[in-house]
Amino acid sequence: MDIEAEIRALQLDSADNNATLIPEDAKPEEVEMTDKVEEEGMTDEVDTKSQPVQAEPKVKDKEVADMDCAEVPDEMESQKKRHLNVVFIGHVDAGKSTTGGQILFLSGQVDDRTIQKYEKEAKDKSRESWYMAYIMDTNEEERVKGKTVEVGRAQFETETTRFTILDAPGHKSYVPNMISGASQADIGVLVISARKGEFETGYERGGQTREHVQLAKTLGVSKLLVVVNKMDDHTVNWSKERYDEIESKMVPFLRSSGYNVKKDVQFLPISGLVGTNMKTRVDKNICPWWNGPCLFEALDSVEVPVRDPKGPYRMPIIDKFKDMGTVVMGKVESGSICEGDSLLVMPNKAPVKVLAVYCDEDKVRRAGPGENLRVRLSGIEEEDISSGFVLSSVVKPIPTVTEFTAQLQILELLENAIFTAGYKAVLHIHSVVEECEIVELLQQIDPKTKKPMKKKVLFVKNGAVVVCRIQVNSLICVEKFSDFPQLGRFTLRTEGKTIAVGKVTDLPSRSSA
Ligand code: GTP
Ligand code: MG
């Protein structure tokens, strides 16, 4: 791929570089121009274009390593329901947990008695309106403060799909937890509060509406349902004007963050608290102007990303514990796993055997890509595993590196900071969180021409696209973005703020295990 195609694939380019950072400044003409670009297929090509690169090694690996696994019927397939991981993202208090809780209530998983109990508990804590959020916010700290801290996890089903809900925290202190949730997701529900003043705070610079969208895109959340929530609130009252205002402000921003708004984004109004326009369409008496789908319908019709069960096995480990052996948790990014498989825990190349595989609460014999699993292993102690390690195919293990080349888009540096060799940040790539240092800036990319600039680059500022070498202190597992987008996208954060998003473009030649 040439550098230009690579930038496009990163989806971080935009017709006007300012639009990336100051979307509200985008003029109507610019928006139209970007639209045209989208129609011509100039943006948002990551998933389609980068897939074929994987085809060859996948088949080979499958033939050698996974023959037995392929014969085993996939319990998940036989259920005839597809599976999607959905992350709920958005600014603090937008209503993510309330909406997630309401989904569970409407799908019959929480009974009235439990709701009454939560209503009482919420009242006792002077948080009356939080009772629906208590379904997702299960620990005491979350309930007392009314803020999600850990990513909540739950399952529900519609006619055609099994969903795993990942309820991310909105508060800026917990962005690393949100990153972990989003990295496990296929699609996102971006919850926006329509309440007077709340949309504005979430959307302004430094608000998590923006940060979450940029992170979600970088972490591979390919489709977004944007739910305009709290439509029942007395400052909104199902106002079409308010809904249109939010949609019209969000569209240019989503576009500049790399989303193809026509193909990959869908807006709809809801009330998570009351449960309106969620399982059934909103009554015309309440909202005469809405003719679109309700949330369950929209979720049901989201297309599943293409996944190849025959790829080399890759499962980044997000957590581990002891339970009759060593149990690791994570989402399968490539390939299939079967009871009895021999695999490696990378980067320490530890050979392990798969004793059991659990998908949600069920023990399964085989599971394919996209599933969130718990895998019981023999051959390794729990203390020898860290999150960020990758359960990996033996025949084609994931590369391990202490250095890689990447293309970065600088979003917003801390005040007075300059981005130059020696810059230190925290790298988040799949489930890895590691301190890193920029060791060399190689090239700056001209945002207008998308071509590398001729003159040598020593430092760059906000909005720049730059190719650089990045170093970490210990071995980490990464892939080139062009081979495995999910394992080759990353974010850099400093002092709790996301300062850049990027993709791995090259690995040192000795990197393979
Ligand atoms: P964090 O986890 O802290 O990021 O917040 P969250 O997005 O999960 O918000 P949560 O569900 O905790 O709701 C925050 C507040 O908004 C609570 O008081 C909810 O009752 C209220 N809320 C959520 N959805 C609605 C809604 O549809 N209508 C109204 N009127 N209030 C809502
Ligand atoms: Mg919450």
Side-chain angles (χ1 to χ4, degrees):
M1 240 200 284
D2 66 19
I3 194 92
E4 200 178 334
E6 288 201 13
I7 303 171
R8 281 203 302 273
L10 185 56
Q11 304 174 333
L12 298 170
D13 55 338
S14 65
D16 171 357
N17 195 43
N18 280 334
T20 308
L21 297 160
I22 323 169
E24 66 266 50
D25 294 346
K27 300 181 190 80
E29 313 87 81
E30 290 163 356
V31 172
E32 266 171 44
M33 190 166 87
T34 330
D35 246 344
K36 194 157 164 280
V37 169
E38 275 178 12
E39 277 155 25
E40 287 162 5
M42 295 289 283
T43 57
D44 226 43
E45 294 172 3
V46 171
D47 295 334
T48 42
K49 283 219 160 163
S50 48
Q51 294 298 342
V53 184
Q54 302 175 19
E56 205 192 332
K58 276 179 180 169
V59 175
K60 272 190 200 150
D61 191 63
K62 182 77 193 171
E63 280 171 3
V64 186
D66 291 338
M67 218 47 191
D68 293 340
C69 195
E71 325 274 273
V72 179
D74 187 332
E75 282 102 315
M76 295 305 129
E77 268 168 30
S78 65
Q79 286 179 2
K80 288 272 185 310
K81 281 203 182 181
R82 61 189 191 137
H83 177 224
L84 276 184
N85 301 289
V86 189
V87 68
F88 281 58
I89 56 174
H91 194 68
V92 67
D93 283 353
K96 300 174 290 298
S97 304
T98 300
T99 305
Q102 184 69 256
I103 286 179
L104 297 187
F105 178 62
L106 292 172
S107 57
Q109 298 189 59
V110 185
D111 58 21
D112 290 333
R113 275 208 16 229
T114 312
I115 296 287
Q116 282 159 14
K117 201 182 89 193
Y118 289 161
E119 265 176 317
K120 183 169 180 314
E121 185 183 339
K123 206 167 173 197
D124 292 345
K125 292 188 163 74
S126 304
R127 294 213 164 269
E128 279 90 337
S129 62
W130 263 263
Y131 65 96
M132 270 290 165
Y134 279 16
I135 299 173
M136 298 302 298
D137 291 338
T138 47
N139 77 41
E140 187 61 17
E141 182 192 354
E142 294 178 322
R143 289 184 175 181
V144 170
K145 296 193 178 146
K147 308 243 169 316
T148 306
V149 179
E150 303 280 342
V151 175
R153 205 179 258 273
Q155 270 81 34
F156 82 102
E157 292 189 13
T158 57
E159 289 289 308
T160 62
T161 316
R162 267 183 327 116
F163 290 97
T164 299
I165 299 178
L166 302 154
D167 175 30
H171 194 276
K172 58 178 182 301
S173 312
Y174 309 124
V175 171
N177 292 353
M178 175 274 169
I179 291 175
S180 148
S183 70
Q184 299 163 60
D186 305 300
I187 63 163
V189 171
L190 171 64
V191 183
I192 294 181
S193 170
R195 184 182 283 163
K196 193 169 179 215
E198 287 191 357
F199 163 68
E200 286 72 14
T201 333
Y203 182 67
E204 67 198 17
R205 273 161 179 272
Q208 275 54 56
T209 305
R210 279 163 186 268
E211 187 173 19
H212 281 195
V213 167
Q214 286 164 336
L215 289 169
K217 185 64 193 169
T218 315
L219 292 160
V221 176
S222 57
K223 309 256 172 178
L224 278 187
L225 294 180
V226 183
V227 297
V228 179
N229 187 33
K230 307 198 187 182
M231 291 298 291
D232 64 292
D233 187 80
H234 72 276
T235 63
V236 187
N237 215 359
W238 292 91
S239 149
K240 182 172 184 324
E241 286 68 39
R242 180 61 165 163
Y243 177 86
D244 288 346
E245 179 196 359
I246 292 172
E247 178 170 337
S248 66
K249 286 193 173 145
M250 285 305 297
V251 163
F253 173 68
L254 290 164
R255 197 171 274 146
S256 65
S257 304
Y259 282 100
N260 180 332
V261 176
K262 285 203 184 110
K263 260 184 27 216
D264 299 328
V265 180
Q266 190 177 353
F267 283 79
L268 63 152
I270 63 161
S271 164
L273 188 60
V274 185
T276 318
N277 206 35
M278 290 187 57
K279 193 174 181 187
T280 52
R281 291 191 182 194
V282 55
D283 195 316
K284 288 274 176 222
N285 292 329
I286 298 175
C287 181
W289 49 267
W290 181 250
N291 296 310
C294 58
L295 181 59
F296 278 39
E297 284 176 296
L299 282 167
D300 240 350
S301 58
V302 175
E303 278 169 42
V304 198
V306 186
R307 293 170 182 143
D308 187 350
K310 297 176 180 170
Y313 193 70
R314 302 275 187 268
M315 185 182 100
I317 295 170
I318 52 169
D319 209 352
K320 41 109 197 222
F321 54 92
K322 261 194 193 126
D323 177 23
M324 295 189 306
T326 301
V327 179
V328 292
M329 284 169 62
K331 180 181 164 206
V332 185
E333 294 294 358
S334 161
S336 303
I337 186 168
C338 219
E339 248 177 45
D341 274 356
S342 295
L343 295 170
L344 289 178
V345 172
M346 299 296 284
N348 45 357
K349 297 187 198 164
V352 291
K353 197 133 187 127
V354 176
L355 298 179
V357 180
Y358 297 88
C359 188
D360 302 338
E361 295 314 309
D362 309 317
K363 187 165 183 284
V364 294
R365 288 185 63 201
R366 173 179 173 237
E371 297 291 350
N372 280 304
L373 303 179
R374 279 172 295 131
V375 180
R376 179 172 292 123
L377 302 171
S378 67
I380 194 160
E381 292 303 320
E382 179 247 348
E383 47 274 18
D384 296 329
I385 301 178
S386 299
S387 59
F389 284 14
V390 176
L391 194 56
S392 170
S393 143
V394 177
V395 178
K396 196 171 192 305
I398 187 164
T400 57
V401 298
T402 52
E403 188 186 304
F404 58 88
T405 305
Q407 192 173 290
L408 281 181
Q409 163 129 31
I410 313 295
L411 299 174
E412 210 179 335
L413 298 168
L414 301 179
E415 229 165 285
N416 301 327
I418 51 165
F419 193 85
T420 178
Y423 190 96
K424 291 197 173 70
V426 179
L427 167 75
H428 292 257
I429 184 163
H430 58 88
S431 53
V432 169
V433 183
E434 274 286 329
E435 287 227 350
C436 72
E437 181 174 339
I438 310 304
V439 280
E440 188 184 1
L441 302 191
L442 299 170
Q443 269 172 338
Q444 184 170 2
I445 310 295
D446 185 326
K448 293 222 167 62
T449 63
K450 312 279 192 282
K451 300 236 159 55
M453 294 179 181
K454 290 243 160 54
K455 70 174 194 289
K456 191 151 172 48
V457 53
L458 291 174
F459 66 92
V460 290
K461 295 192 245 165
N462 288 347
V465 177
V466 64
V467 181
C468 57
R469 278 198 303 126
I470 300 180
Q471 220 170 51
V472 285
N473 289 330
S474 41
L475 267 185
I476 56 166
C477 301
V478 299
E479 292 277 6
K480 281 207 306 206
F481 175 86
S482 53
D483 293 340
F484 293 87
Q486 302 287 35
L487 303 170
R489 304 175 199 252
F490 64 89
T491 59
L492 293 184
R493 308 191 81 233
T494 332
E495 290 180 25
K497 239 180 88 182
T498 306
I499 57 115
V501 292
K503 64 170 184 174
V504 178
T505 51
D506 221 343
L507 303 175
S509 48
R510 291 167 280 103
S511 61
S512 288

